[in-house]
Structure formats: C-alpha cells, structure tokens
Amino acid sequence: MTLAALEITPSYYLVLAAMLFTIGSVGVLTRRNVLVMFMCVELMLNAVNLSFVAFAKALDDITGQVIVFFVLVVAAAEVAVGLAIIVAIFRRRRHATADDLQALRG
Amino acid sequence: MIPFLFFVAAAATLAGGLGVVLARNPVHSALFLVMTLVSVAVLFLIQDAELVAAVQVIVYASAIVVLFLFVIMLLGVDRQESMRDRIPYQRPAAIALGVILLAQLLWLAGHEWVTGQETASGVPIEGGGFGGNVERVARVLFTDYMWAFEITAVLLVIAVVGAVVLARRSGQKGEPVDDVDEAATEGVDA
C-alpha cells in the first residue's frame, strides 16, 4: 500500500493529539522555568484543539471548530495574566523557576 | 497528497513539541513552539478548517508567541535551570506518568467515535447550502453560542484589567524596596 493510497482517518489525528498532549504534560512536570511551563500548557491546549477539529470532521459538524475559538480566547487570557504574574515575580526576585516560588508571600 | 501532508505536518508537530520541552534556552523553546503551532495550522487546513487555521497562525503563532518572546527579552531569562530535583525522582516519575497518560489516551483514541447520528448544530462541514467555512462557523457562533461568545468578551476584559493591575508597579514613588532587593540578589550571585 503506497502512501498516496492511505486514507487518513480521524484516529490518526487523535493519536497525534494524544502524543502532543503527553509531551506537553511531561514538559509541565519536568521543566522548572515558568515560561517554558506556560509553553507546554499551550502545547496541551493545541492538542485538544486538534482533536476538536478532528471530531468536527469525523462527525461532520461545524461546532467542533467553533469550540476551538473559545479555547483560543481562554488561552490568550491565560497567557496575558500568566505573563503579568511572571513579570511581577521577576520584579521581586531575579529567578523564574518554579522551585523559587514555594512561598505565596512576596 | 493529503497523507503526505499529514505525515510531514505530524512529524513537524511532534518535533516542535519535543523541542519545546528539551531546549535549554527559553528563546529556542518559543521558536519550537512556533513550529508546532504552524504545523497544527496545516493539520487544520487539511481537515477543512480554514478559518481556524488562519486564526491559529494569527493569534497563536504571532500574538501569543511574540508576547512570550517579549517577556523573555524583557526579563533576560537566559540562565540555565538547575538539573537537581527538589523533589526526589521527580523527572523519572514525570516520564513514567507521561507514558501511562499516553497509553490511556491512545487506548481512547483507538475507539470508534463516529456514531452516524444527526449533527448537533445542523451545520455540516461542507455541503447543505450554508456557504463557506467562515459563514458556517459564524452561523453557529452567533446563534447557538451567542451567550458564550458574550461571556468571552467579559473574560478578555477581566484578563486585560488583571494583567494591567499585576504589571503595574505596586509600590509608591521611587520603589526603594525593589532596588534594595535587586542589589542584594546580584550581590549574592556574584
């Protein structure tokens, strides 16, 4: 079976989304840099978006694509607030690793 | 053509994801993130999600990553993070948990999801006389999800206000506390 004759079923996208989500979650668990942890959260959100679009295609319903917009809005809001928090932390202390943030008090 | 595009974009997506996690420099992580986001946009395109693909490139790969890079440049986050585990065996445990998570997700992904039922919104991906992709998304977004759409506007306003409040210098004029803090920390580093 040649590559051109292969049919890409929704399962291919779901498997890819599962791998991407796993990479993101392992990144959040292992990395210490808060900025990189945020990027890993973005990876996880993208994996979910990918599966939403795959389901929209599989179930032949546009709603899956509409939900992606709401995920995008939440991701943008999360990044704006999260980066503001990081800037506020940096102003207090010159490190941005998660280990330095044990205490909630500044 | 479609299988070829899928496998190239999928490989780029996974390579970018691994790059984000493995790169030591946060700037490299952000650039790998761009690679992943653009590849995911390609995957959206070959699934007939043109509007979502465009928004992915415009909002994610441009705005959000530029915000990341801006903060990295502003703060000068170029120090290496320590490889010492504060919690014992944190990294091996995280990788083991990741393998378990992947097994669970793959098990779920292997199931048959297409039920053959009528579409929930009544607007299919193509056909049926609903116009192009943008019109279809707009039709559902501004009818069934109108209330949720308005809520997202409130959410964005809250996020902007929160970001401004957090990024504002909270102390009085002169900021004596921060200067002392920075000087003390630099002294320790040196």
Side-chain angles (χ1 to χ4, degrees), chain A residues 3 6 16 22 25 29 31-33 42 46 54 57 60-63 65 70 72 75 85 90-92 102, chain B residues 3 21 23 37 47-48 55-56 60 81 84-86 90 98 119-121 123 125 133 140 145 167 181:
Chain A
L3 185 64
L6 189 67
L16 177 63
T22 307
S25 62
L29 288 172
R31 292 303 298 260
R32 301 294 164 73
N33 191 323
E42 300 300 317
N46 256 276
K57 178 79 171 165
D60 198 18
D61 189 338
I62 203 76
T63 310
Q65 297 182 15
F70 295 123
L72 272 168
I85 290 174
F90 250 90
R91 206 168 281 154
R92 289 270 172 193
Q102 304 172 23
Chain B
V21 176
L37 297 175
Q47 293 185 95
D48 302 329
V55 171
Q56 168 96 359
Y60 252 123
E81 58 186 276
R84 196 170 54 83
D85 284 352
R86 190 69 66 96
Q90 184 183 353
T119 62
S121 67
V123 181
I125 294 288
N133 182 252
V140 174
Y145 292 89
D181 220 342

Side-chain angles (χ1 to χ4, degrees), chain B residues 86-108:
Chain B
R86 190 69 66 96
I87 306 169
Y89 304 111
Q90 184 183 353
R91 279 164 215 267
I95 291 169
L97 284 176
V99 170
I100 293 171
L101 177 67
L102 182 64
Q104 290 174 336
L105 288 174
L106 289 180
W107 184 75
L108 279 177

